[in-house]
């Protein structure tokens, strides 16, 4: 999920156009916005079907989710710089073409490896879409009032897409097959590709920063090995190769930061982190997305594989919580005129912590309503905290640094989402595999499949005699529940810590005028 307050580079002035063309251009630009937002939540509901049809292991399932945001986060800022140089509309159309083609190719992936590679390629083209959309909107709407309305519509597209994603993804999986979640993207992008050149004016910066290939390479070498090492730690413990990958990633991260501090026009202005308000608000966003994405990862599987809901039913069940994120974000805006924004952020994070406490300490045997109530608390807390923290991120830096601040915020969103699935998903998988007590009577192949994931256990049980199938299903669900409690407890600790940090560091930020 990307930051709805993101602003990138200052656009050049364009020739005034008719109002209808401006709004038509905005309609086209909303296509990739909705697409990315829908994709973030729709794929989650295809995972059980993907695991069954492609015989996917636990780590492969995590890489299917992580490959896209990993590549996207590494390239997000650099693609914004590239759009400044070659033209934002041009970059948007290149990215849309590549995204459409790779979506069609990925939809028919015959193996997990193919699917992971396809998701990584989608990350490359996806990184071309998001920086371009908002930069073009800021260029198209010169009038401040119309621009604010356009940006509000742009931001609503993320929330609406996230809410539609579960229903849309669930319906596609239930009525077609998991590949339809990818294939539909190719068709959704056709209007943009057909009309974008005529309705969307080109814009570029007159003096863009140079494309720093070294920084791009260092950023990817910092993120990829670190995430892979964390996955290996979660799955295999303190293995030497896992430590080596994490060490390599951290070393490359240090080199990346040192290079950014030396450059006159850095790809990522890390000096902004010297501002305590800025860095605390960024940390709150990352931790919120980290915890909530991990919650989504296991919750979508829980609804389908434990509670027996169809993908469509599971998607609809999550919509109230996703909409609550939007409502909470709107309600807290007038609140910060009377209450200090730091306290509002801390209160939102504390509300999320309460939701994780419900999931970590409660009895999941009461059915999906129990976990849905936990998710509702989490969503209300995240929606209220992030709305204000995003505003604080931009308000904490000088006006000429707003673009750099927004780029960091946007990258933080992707990083939080990526690590949430990578770390909490790995812990969930490791806990499942460690706590699974397989009943006697399974074949070697059946035991191997059931021992990988909950989806594998459910698939194996479907071909077994009733008594053995029931015993395997009960054992697998109990093992999965143990992982749910652990990951929810981690979310509780992180959100409680973030709430205390926000209350202490942000308490002096004045109320809004």
């Amino acid at each position: 999920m990307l930051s709805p307050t993101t602003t990138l580079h200052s656009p050049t002035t364009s020739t005034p156009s008719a109002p209808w063309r401006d709004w038509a251009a905005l309609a086209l630009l909303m296509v990739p916005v909705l697409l990315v937002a829908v994709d973030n939540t729709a794929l989650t509901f295809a995972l059980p079907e993907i695991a069954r049809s492609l015989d996917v292991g636990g780590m492969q399932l995590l890489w299917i989710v992580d490959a896209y945001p990993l590549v996207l986060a590494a390239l997000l800022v650099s693609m914004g710089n590239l759009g400044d140089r070659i033209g934002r509309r041009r970059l948007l159309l290149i990215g849309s073409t590549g995204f459409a083609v790779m979506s069609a190719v990925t939809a028919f992936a015959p193996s997990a490896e193919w699917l992971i590679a396809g998701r990584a390629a989608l990350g490359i083209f996806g990184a071309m879409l998001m920086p371009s959309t908002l930069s073009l909107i800021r260029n198209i709407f010169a009038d401040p009032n119309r621009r604010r309305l356009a940006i509000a519509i742009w931001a609503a597209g993320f929330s609406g897409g996230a809410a539609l994603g579960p229903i849309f993804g669930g319906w596609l999986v239930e009525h077609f097959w998991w590949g339809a979640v990818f294939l539909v993207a190719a068709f959704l992008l056709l209007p943009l590709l057909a009309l974008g050149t005529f309705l969307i004016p080109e814009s570029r910066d007159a003096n863009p920063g140079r494309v720093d290939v070294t920084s791009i390479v260092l950023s990817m070498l910092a993120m990829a090995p670190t995430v892979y090492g964390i996955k290996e730690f979660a799955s295999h413990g303190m293995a030497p190769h896992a430590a080596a990958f994490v060490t390599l990633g951290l070393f490359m991260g240090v080199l990346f930061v040192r290079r950014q501090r030396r450059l006159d026009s850095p790809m990522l202005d890390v000096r902004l982190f010297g501002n305590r308000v800025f860095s605390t608000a960024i940390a709150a966003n990352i931790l919120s997305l980290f915890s909530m994405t991990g919650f989504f990862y296991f919750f979508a599987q829980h609804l389908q594989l434990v509670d027996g809901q169809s993908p469509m039913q599971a998607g609809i069940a999550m919509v109230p919580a996703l909409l609550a994120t939007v409502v909470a974000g709107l309600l807290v805006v007038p609140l910060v005129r009377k209450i200090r924004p730091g306290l509002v952020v801390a209160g939102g994070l504390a509300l999320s912590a309460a939701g994780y406490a419900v999931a970590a300490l409660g009895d999941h045997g009461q059915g999906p309503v129990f976990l849905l109530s936990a998710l509702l608390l989490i969503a209300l807390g995240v929606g209220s905290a992030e709305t204000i923290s995003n505003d604080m991120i931009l308000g904490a830096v000088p006006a000429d640094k707003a673009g750099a601040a927004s780029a960091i915020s946007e990258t933080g969103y992707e990083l939080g989402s990526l690590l949430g699935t990578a770390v909490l998903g790995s812990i969930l998988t490791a806990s499942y595999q460690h706590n699974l007590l397989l009943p006697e009577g399974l074949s070697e192949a059946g035991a191997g499949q059931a021992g990988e994931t909950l989806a594998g256990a459910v698939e194996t049980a479907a071909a077994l005699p009733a008594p053995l199938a029931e015993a395997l299903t009960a054992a697998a669900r109990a093992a999965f529940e143990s992982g749910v409690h652990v990951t929810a407890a981690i979310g509780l600790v992180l959100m409680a810590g973030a709430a205390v940090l926000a209350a202490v560091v942000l308490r002096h930020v004045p109320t809004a005028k």
Side-chain angles (χ1 to χ4, degrees):
M1 185 179 296
L2 303 177
S3 169
T5 60
T6 302
T7 55
L8 295 175
H9 310 281
S10 298
T12 56
T13 302
S14 61
T15 303
S17 58
W20 73 266
R21 291 181 64 90
D22 294 345
W23 296 111
L26 176 62
L28 288 179
L29 292 173
M30 291 306 299
V31 172
V33 172
L34 288 167
L35 181 63
V36 171
V38 167
D39 180 72
N40 284 341
T41 50
L43 177 65
T44 305
F45 290 85
L47 292 179
E49 183 63 28
I50 290 173
R52 285 190 290 264
S53 61
L54 297 183
D55 191 22
V56 176
M59 287 297 102
Q60 289 177 318
L61 199 64
L62 289 171
W63 276 111
I64 288 171
V65 176
D66 293 341
Y68 173 79
L70 173 63
V71 175
L72 189 148
L75 295 177
L76 198 61
V77 177
S78 57
M79 286 301 178
N81 293 333
L82 181 61
D84 296 339
R85 177 178 294 273
I86 70 172
R88 294 155 185 150
R89 184 186 66 188
R90 177 182 297 178
L91 184 67
L92 177 65
L93 295 178
I94 291 172
S96 297
T97 302
F99 201 95
V101 171
M102 287 310 305
S103 294
V105 171
T106 305
F108 299 97
S111 65
E113 292 76 14
W114 182 304
L115 185 53
I116 292 169
R119 288 277 291 166
L122 286 172
I124 296 174
F125 294 110
M128 300 179 185
L129 301 180
M130 300 323 299
S132 300
T133 56
L134 190 53
S135 294
L136 287 166
I137 288 173
R138 288 176 60 83
N139 185 62
I140 292 168
F141 295 93
D143 178 73
N145 292 323
R146 294 172 69 222
R147 184 169 63 242
R148 279 192 290 269
L149 176 58
I151 292 176
I153 294 172
W154 179 89
F158 284 109
S159 302
L164 288 174
I167 300 176
F168 193 53
W171 184 83
L172 288 173
V173 173
E174 192 169 333
H175 291 83
F176 299 97
W177 91 112
W178 62 263
V181 173
F182 295 98
L183 189 60
V184 73
F187 294 100
L188 290 176
L189 286 169
L190 288 179
L192 175 61
L193 295 173
L195 302 174
T197 303
F198 306 102
L199 293 176
I200 301 174
E202 182 61 282
S203 76
R204 58 172 58 88
D205 276 359
N207 298 299
R210 69 185 182 89
V211 178
D212 186 4
V213 177
T214 302
S215 292
I216 295 173
V217 173
L218 286 175
S219 66
M220 297 192 73
L221 289 178
M223 293 188 66
T226 302
V227 173
Y228 181 76
I230 291 172
K231 287 173 172 290
E232 292 299 292
F233 271 130
S235 301
H236 307 295
M238 299 295 290
H241 73 284
F245 276 107
V246 172
T247 302
L248 173 62
L250 294 177
F251 176 71
M252 291 299 174
V254 171
L255 294 181
F256 174 79
V257 171
R258 293 182 62 183
R259 181 173 180 82
Q260 303 314 297
R261 294 180 67 88
R262 292 197 307 266
L263 295 175
D264 293 331
S265 299
M267 190 178 88
L268 200 68
D269 193 349
V270 297
R271 288 165 289 197
L272 293 176
F273 285 101
N275 185 308
R276 294 178 66 202
V277 172
F278 176 86
S279 56
T280 300
I282 289 286
N285 280 358
I286 292 176
L287 291 175
S288 295
L289 265 293
F290 174 90
S291 302
M292 191 166 72
T293 303
F295 193 94
F296 278 158
Y297 178 79
F298 76 70
F299 191 50
Q301 298 182 69
H302 194 285
L303 289 176
Q304 295 178 67
L305 300 175
V306 176
D307 296 322
Q309 295 189 7
S310 69
M312 181 72 171
Q313 291 172 328
I316 293 175
M318 293 182 69
V319 167
L322 292 169
L323 291 178
T325 306
V326 182
V327 174
L330 295 174
L331 292 178
V332 295
V333 172
L335 191 62
V336 294
R337 296 174 183 172
K338 300 179 180 179
I339 303 175
R340 288 184 179 270
L343 296 179
V344 175
V345 172
L349 296 172
L351 188 60
S352 291
Y356 291 111
V358 171
L361 305 175
D363 180 10
H364 299 171
Q366 299 177 28
V369 174
F370 180 80
L371 282 178
L372 282 170
S373 63
L375 179 60
L376 183 61
L377 289 174
I378 294 169
L380 288 169
V382 169
S384 56
E386 287 191 352
T387 298
I388 306 306
S389 61
N390 283 328
D391 184 62
M392 296 173 75
I393 287 169
L394 294 182
V397 301
D400 61 348
K401 294 292 185 181
S406 297
I408 293 174
S409 177
E410 194 166 325
T411 303
Y413 266 72
E414 294 299 332
L415 183 62
S417 298
L418 165 67
L419 293 178
T421 306
V423 177
L424 297 183
S426 296
I427 292 173
L428 175 64
T429 300
S431 178
Y432 169 82
Q433 295 173 349
H434 177 75
N435 291 290
L436 180 62
L437 299 176
L438 293 172
E440 296 183 0
L442 294 176
S443 65
E444 183 176 348
Q449 183 180 20
E452 280 287 330
T453 63
L454 176 61
V458 173
E459 183 74 10
T460 300
L464 297 175
L468 185 56
E470 292 174 1
L472 174 58
T473 301
R477 289 176 176 173
F480 186 81
E481 291 290 351
S482 68
V484 170
H485 285 288
V486 171
T487 52
I490 293 173
L492 167 60
V493 172
L494 291 177
M495 287 298 95
V500 173
L501 180 65
V504 173
V505 177
L506 305 178
R507 69 182 186 278
H508 297 305
V509 178
T511 56
K513 296 180 180 180

